[in-house]
Amino acid sequence: MVFWMVFWVWATFGFLADDVFKPLQQVRSALMWTLDATMVVMALAVVRRKAWLLGIAAFVALTWVVTCVINRESTLFWVNGMREFVGLLLVYPVMLFIMDDDTSRSHFLDSFDRQGLYFLIVQALCIVIQLAMYGAGDLVGGGFGHFYSGQVSVAIYLVSFLLIRRRIDYDHFLYSLGQNKVYIILLLPTFLNETKVSFVMLVLYFLLLVPVDRKLLLRWAVVMPLVAIVAWLAVTVYSYTTRNNLEGNRFGSTQELMAYFMLDDIEKAEGDARWNIENNRGIADVPRLTKLMYLAVLNQQEPGHVLAGFGVGHFKGGTQIVASQFARDYDWLLMGSVPYVFHIYIQLGLLGLLLLQLYWVALALYRPQWASARDEGLQLMLLAVVLIIYFYNDMLRNLAFCMIFFTLLAASWRPPRHVTAPSASPSSAPSCRPPCHSSAVATKS
């Protein structure tokens, strides 16, 4: 399938180029253009619903007006910037096409069972190798490559969550978890790369794995010892791998914790960042909340952009396409960890933030024709991830991450119960009932 080809190239190229064969970095830009173009062609080939086509066309027109007419950037600059929205806008309609009938949907989910397990194993191997090479930190980004540590960690949790949720037998809950323990074990590499978000994801993982029904307290009594063991292992692994890493161990007090998220003096943000650029190999990672707080200062320095932003493309460029003047002036602010609300506001202002909220609402309300019910636990997990992304980083720019995220969203709609359970596998539970989904034969894409 073209879908999986695009996914695997994106999900492994970073590791190959950064850690295995560095000359591959020379083709990174061309390859990423090709993958984005492939996803666009795939969407154009399969999306036929007028609502999707009109929505995408309206967004494309709006971003062109904001970028090229209002902010007077070039059309090529705008095209390059639009690549950041390929995953967000196009992956889900492609997924809906793939899952539009029982046979295609079942085959794809069967395929995801295999590909997802391979993904977890590959990421674990890449993370262990990077840990041995660099120690715990931002360079341990798994197959995604350097500086993707947070993104690969969240992706691992999402893949594992769907795989185990499709196999859980809630009538034999503890036994079922034991049968599928491989998916829990493969979460541990997320604590080798110094990402604090892994602890949040671990809590969400087990919290939402248990369904809310009359047996909730009983199941929690059963699962809590397992949660305690996994949490203890996670803390132990994290502490061991970051013991010599000042970045990973600077949480000895509330004051130090707050310093991780926000500077004491917003007005010193630029000076501190530029000093870091000059003395820290070009890296200036302004704390996330500081970036959000600095928007008030930016609005005073660059008036007239609150409503529609500065246009799309300022977070790209500098390799094949020249970076914008705005990006050069504020490179210290745009680089590093970028909360997604910051990413959207800079490019499309308050209008972009409003459209983003409307987009999520539309996705939540739109029920595919083949769906009979929601998988509430899976959709709550995705909602929690969206809220985390808003203030954590901009992983929705990552095409491979979007392919994972929107696969889970499509799979969160339950088909009628007449379809069969997933195929047997060494890690499958002996039986399965909703929220488990279907599996069968044939393909559509």
Side-chain angles (χ1 to χ4, degrees), residues 410-427:
S412 72
W413 291 103
R414 298 177 184 171
R417 294 190 178 186
H418 69 270
V419 290
T420 57
S423 304
S425 67
S427 58

Side-chain angles (χ1 to χ4, degrees), residues 4 61 80 142 181 189 192 249 254 280 302 307 378 385 421:
W4 288 118
N80 194 42
K181 58 184 177 294
L192 301 179
N249 283 298
T254 303
N280 195 25
E302 305 286 343
L307 180 60
L378 190 48
V385 168

Side-chain angles (χ1 to χ4, degrees), residues 32-336:
M32 294 305 164
W33 266 94
T34 301
L35 295 180
D36 291 338
T38 302
M39 180 55 66
V40 171
V41 171
M42 199 186 316
L44 292 175
V46 303
V47 178
R48 291 292 179 266
R49 296 188 183 278
K50 291 182 179 180
W52 281 109
L53 294 174
L54 289 175
I56 293 170
F59 182 79
V60 169
L62 172 67
T63 55
W64 181 82
V65 170
V66 170
T67 306
C68 300
V69 177
I70 298 177
N71 288 286
R72 299 181 181 179
E73 300 289 352
S74 69
T75 299
L76 182 60
F77 180 86
W78 165 74
V79 170
N80 194 42
M82 282 299 296
R83 293 170 53 208
E84 308 219 290
F85 299 95
V86 167
L88 180 66
L89 293 178
L90 301 185
V91 172
Y92 192 53
V94 171
M95 288 307 310
L96 292 179
F97 171 82
I98 292 174
M99 296 194 177
D100 193 44
D101 63 69
D102 290 347
T103 302
S104 177
R105 179 172 60 255
S106 299
H107 177 85
F108 181 84
L109 291 174
D110 266 354
S111 178
F112 183 87
D113 288 341
R114 298 188 300 272
Q115 304 294 338
L117 179 58
Y118 298 156
F119 174 81
L120 296 178
I121 294 171
V122 167
Q123 299 311 315
L125 292 173
C126 292
I127 287 172
V128 169
I129 292 172
Q130 290 165 333
L131 176 68
M133 294 175 66
Y134 310 110
D138 292 338
L139 300 186
V140 185
F144 292 170
H146 295 177
F147 304 106
Y148 285 91
S149 56
Q151 300 191 26
V152 76
S153 291
V154 175
I156 287 171
Y157 277 94
L158 289 181
V159 171
S160 175
F161 189 76
L162 179 56
L163 290 175
I164 198 169
R165 195 166 177 82
R166 276 171 49 77
R167 288 162 172 74
I168 287 294
D169 176 8
Y170 288 111
D171 291 327
H172 307 87
F173 191 58
L174 188 59
Y175 177 78
S176 183
L177 287 177
Q179 288 292 97
N180 295 280
K181 58 184 177 294
V182 61
Y183 303 114
I184 298 175
I185 293 172
L186 288 171
L187 297 177
L188 292 178
T190 63
F191 297 96
L192 301 179
N193 60 7
E194 190 261 317
T195 53
K196 291 81 180 173
V197 73
S198 296
F199 291 100
V200 178
M201 292 300 301
L202 182 66
V203 173
L204 290 171
Y205 186 94
F206 286 104
L207 180 65
L208 296 175
L209 191 61
V210 180
V212 178
D213 58 20
R214 61 184 180 180
K215 296 182 179 180
L216 175 65
L217 294 180
L218 178 61
R219 291 196 180 105
W220 265 112
V222 170
V223 81
M224 280 306 295
L226 175 62
V227 175
I229 292 172
V230 175
W232 176 80
L233 285 173
V235 171
T236 300
V237 170
Y238 180 89
S239 300
Y240 179 78
T241 57
T242 61
R243 68 190 189 281
N244 295 321
N245 184 352
L246 294 178
E247 290 291 317
N249 283 298
R250 61 179 184 183
F251 300 114
S253 68
T254 303
Q255 183 177 0
E256 291 172 337
L257 179 62
M258 291 302 297
Y260 174 73
F261 293 103
M262 184 172 64
L263 296 175
D264 292 333
D265 190 347
I266 302 297
E267 295 181 355
K268 293 182 179 180
E270 180 175 1
D272 291 349
R274 293 199 179 281
W275 184 91
N276 284 329
I277 291 175
E278 296 174 0
N279 295 276
N280 195 25
R281 295 179 299 177
I283 299 174
D285 197 357
V286 178
R288 295 171 175 86
L289 292 184
T290 298
K291 288 184 176 181
L292 295 175
M293 297 291 291
Y294 195 83
L295 290 177
V297 178
L298 181 65
N299 290 334
Q300 294 178 347
Q301 295 174 340
E302 305 286 343
H305 297 274
V306 174
L307 180 60
F310 295 87
V312 301
H314 299 290
F315 291 90
K316 299 188 72 67
T319 52
Q320 302 299 319
I321 296 177
V322 178
S324 66
Q325 184 62 50
F326 174 81
R328 293 194 294 271
D329 292 341
Y330 292 95
D331 57 343
W332 60 272
L333 184 63
L334 302 186
M335 66 173 57

Side-chain angles (χ1 to χ4, degrees), residues 386-432:
V386 168
L387 295 177
I388 290 171
I389 290 172
Y390 274 9
F391 301 99
Y392 179 61
N393 73 16
D394 51 358
M395 62 186 75
L396 287 171
R397 298 167 62 187
N398 179 333
L399 179 57
F401 178 83
C402 286
M403 296 172 85
I404 293 172
F405 182 93
F406 288 110
T407 292
L408 266 69
L409 181 58
S412 72
W413 291 103
R414 298 177 184 171
R417 294 190 178 186
H418 69 270
V419 290
T420 57
S423 304
S425 67
S427 58
S428 294
S431 61
C432 188

